[in-house]
């Protein structure tokens, strides 16, 4: 049969082409397909790091970005079976996937607060349990993002003495920094879940040390914000003569506004909620709203500022839902009550008209 095909191939181009295709399939079937998978994995990994990641970081839609993380991560990271794991891109994708899960946890928490405000005990208990489970899943994803970020730069956060990683590009610096932040977020999510995820707490002092490897001014105070949060969680890690953590958080928030990336402000709000400082929370939300008119958002990393905005909005919504039963009305964002300030409102005196 083969000889007849060869004979026929010499007669028509179409048959010759078909024969070549059959031969190629036979060669691939006889050998392993892994070389193609490996090549595809390398191409996808390089494309994701060189093109897709910068594009996503410029997005202003956190929900769409998090969907991308959930959808693409399993595909891209599956190539770690046939080539080197794409840890740097994988860290960011898992970070985005963690944000998706956290948004669901937020909705469950708001449902709990609404039911609690209305006195609906069964609905409150159900929503509370759902929020805990979603926080546990968020914590697990964020731990994976942290581990991938550390692996991407071959950084051992427990090494003594500290050896800072080689971060060749600005994108490397941000990926590493967000990895540290995500590790801290995993601890907070796990605490909100009732420790269902079992996140190791030693991430906190490791992140505190590693944050010193980054330029605090350049990254809008975020490295020092991470350190200050750890000092609040674990006071023993606070160096002697270091400033008060709340002062560091406040200064970092202002730095974040100056560079156009308010992640430090979001961290200050989380710290205020975690450690019961409603005064700091109210000031932080008000400062965030005030900054809208003077901030020039860092275009290359616009997504970071928008994710931070979501955190601040959720903090405000929690306060409003717990105290008034509904989310923050748009015209009251930046305020903690529905009372209007009438002190400076000019009123017409009717005395002269009488």
């Amino acid at each position: 049969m083969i000889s007849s095909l060869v004979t026929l191939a010499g007669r028509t181009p179409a048959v010759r082409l078909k024969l070549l295709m059959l031969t190629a399939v036979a060669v691939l079937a006889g050998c392993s397909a892994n070389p193609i998978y490996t090549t595809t994995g390398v191409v996808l990994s390089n494309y994701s790091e060189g093109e897709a990641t910068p594009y996503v970081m410029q997005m202003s839609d956190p929900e769409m970005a998090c969907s991308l993380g959930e959808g693409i991560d399993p595909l891209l990271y599956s190539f770690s079976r046939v080539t080197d794991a794409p840890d740097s891109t994988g860290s960011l994708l898992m970070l985005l996937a963690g944000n998706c899960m956290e948004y669901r946890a937020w909705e469950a928490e708001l449902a709990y607060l609404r039911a609690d405000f209305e006195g609906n005990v069964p609905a409150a208990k159900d929503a509370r349990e759902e929020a805990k489970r979603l926080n546990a899943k968020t914590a697990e994803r964020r731990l994976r993002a942290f581990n991938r970020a550390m692996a991407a730069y071959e950084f051992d956060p427990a090494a003594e003495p500290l050896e800072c990683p080689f971060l060749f590009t600005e994108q490397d610096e941000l990926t590493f920094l967000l990895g540290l932040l995500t590790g801290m977020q995993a601890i907070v999510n796990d605490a909100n879940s009732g420790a269902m995820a079992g996140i190791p707490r030693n991430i906190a002092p490791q992140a505190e040390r590693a944050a010193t490897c980054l330029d605090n001014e350049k990254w809008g105070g975020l490295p020092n914000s991470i350190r200050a949060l750890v000092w609040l969680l674990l006071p023993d890690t606070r160096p002697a003569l270091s400033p008060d953590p709340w002062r560091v958080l406040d200064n970092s928030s202002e730095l974040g506004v100056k560079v156009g990336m308010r992640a430090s402000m979001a961290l200050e709000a989380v710290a205020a909620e975690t450690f019961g400082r409603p005064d700091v929370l109210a000031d932080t939300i008000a400062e965030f709203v005030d900054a809208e008119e003077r901030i020039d958002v860092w275009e290359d990393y616009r997504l970071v500022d928008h994710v931070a905005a979501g955190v601040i909005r959720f903090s405000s919504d929690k306060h409003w839902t717990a105290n008034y039963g509904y989310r923050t009305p748009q015209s009251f964002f930046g305020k903690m009550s529905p009372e209007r300030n009438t002190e400076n409102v000019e009123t017409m005196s009717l005395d002269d008209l009488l």
Side-chain angles (χ1 to χ4, degrees):
M1 181 177 177
I2 293 177
S3 59
S4 62
L5 277 174
V6 171
T7 304
L8 193 60
R11 297 175 183 172
T12 64
V15 174
R16 192 182 302 125
L17 178 61
K18 187 177 291 184
L19 178 61
L20 288 173
M21 292 176 64
L22 287 171
T23 305
V25 170
V27 169
L28 289 176
C31 303
S32 169
N34 281 351
I36 292 180
Y37 294 163
T38 302
T39 303
T40 305
V42 171
V43 170
L44 275 179
S45 181
N46 290 339
Y47 173 79
S48 298
E49 188 167 346
E51 302 296 335
T53 297
Y55 176 80
V56 171
M57 295 306 290
Q58 290 182 339
M59 290 173 65
S60 56
D61 188 337
E63 285 77 12
M64 183 180 287
C66 85
S67 298
L68 180 80
E70 283 193 319
I72 298 298
D73 180 81
L75 171 65
L76 182 67
Y77 219 74
S78 68
F79 286 101
S80 63
R81 294 163 63 98
V82 294
T83 185
D84 293 337
D87 284 317
S88 58
T89 303
S91 171
L92 292 173
L93 287 171
M94 188 53 67
L95 179 157
L96 294 173
N99 287 351
C100 265
M101 194 58 69
E102 185 171 59
Y103 296 156
R104 294 169 196 138
W106 287 357
E107 289 304 315
E109 189 160 351
L110 290 177
Y112 156 71
L113 292 172
R114 270 194 304 276
D116 186 55
F117 182 85
E118 295 164 356
N120 188 339
V121 176
K125 289 178 71 173
D126 183 70
R128 183 67 172 158
E129 184 59 29
E130 184 182 14
K132 284 184 176 181
R133 295 178 188 182
L134 292 170
N135 267 298
K137 289 182 179 177
T138 305
E140 290 168 358
R141 289 186 180 186
R142 286 181 164 162
L143 176 62
R144 254 180 285 170
F146 170 80
N147 288 333
R148 287 181 184 179
M150 300 303 102
Y153 302 104
E154 299 178 347
F155 177 71
D156 180 0
E160 291 287 354
L162 174 68
E163 294 184 12
C164 289
F166 290 103
L167 303 171
F168 296 102
T169 66
E170 198 170 73
Q171 187 170 304
D172 286 335
E173 292 179 35
L174 183 62
T175 302
F176 184 72
L177 177 57
L178 292 180
L180 300 178
L181 175 62
T182 307
M184 293 302 301
Q185 289 177 306
I187 294 174
V188 174
N189 288 124
D190 193 30
N192 291 336
S193 77
M196 289 172 65
I199 302 299
R201 297 300 194 261
N202 62 358
I203 286 178
Q206 293 173 355
E208 195 274 341
R209 289 195 327 150
T212 60
C213 296
L214 295 147
D215 186 333
N216 186 60
E217 299 279 336
K218 176 180 179 180
W219 294 108
L222 188 53
N224 277 355
S225 289
I226 293 172
R227 301 187 70 200
L229 182 59
V230 175
W231 297 345
L232 290 170
L233 284 168
L234 305 169
D236 290 343
T237 60
R238 182 181 168 190
L241 304 178
S242 62
D244 178 73
W246 293 108
R247 187 177 162 195
V248 173
L249 286 167
D250 190 45
N251 290 339
S252 298
S253 291
E254 190 56 37
L255 272 177
V257 175
K258 287 179 181 175
V259 305
M261 193 174 72
R262 289 170 286 185
S264 298
M265 201 172 276
L267 210 57
E268 186 177 8
V270 170
E273 289 179 337
T274 304
F275 297 99
R277 290 290 303 269
D279 54 328
V280 175
L281 179 63
D283 288 345
T284 304
I285 294 173
E287 288 168 7
F288 181 89
V289 174
D290 178 64
E292 288 285 358
E293 294 183 356
R294 56 192 173 93
I295 188 172
D296 183 11
V297 175
W298 195 344
E299 186 177 346
D300 288 344
Y301 306 116
R302 189 185 297 123
L303 182 65
V304 178
D305 188 70
H306 280 262
V307 170
V311 173
I312 297 289
R313 176 78 68 173
F314 174 62
S315 293
S316 178
D317 283 347
K318 273 197 294 184
H319 170 82
W320 276 80
T321 305
N323 290 281
Y324 306 108
Y326 50 85
R327 299 169 200 249
T328 317
Q330 180 57 35
S331 59
F332 286 88
F333 186 38
K335 305 180 186 303
M336 306 303 274
S337 81
E339 297 175 4
R340 292 186 181 277
N341 183 4
T342 58
E343 290 181 1
N344 298 321
V345 176
E346 293 185 3
T347 56
M348 180 184 295
S349 173
L350 298 179
D351 293 342
D352 295 338
L353 301 177
L354 298 177

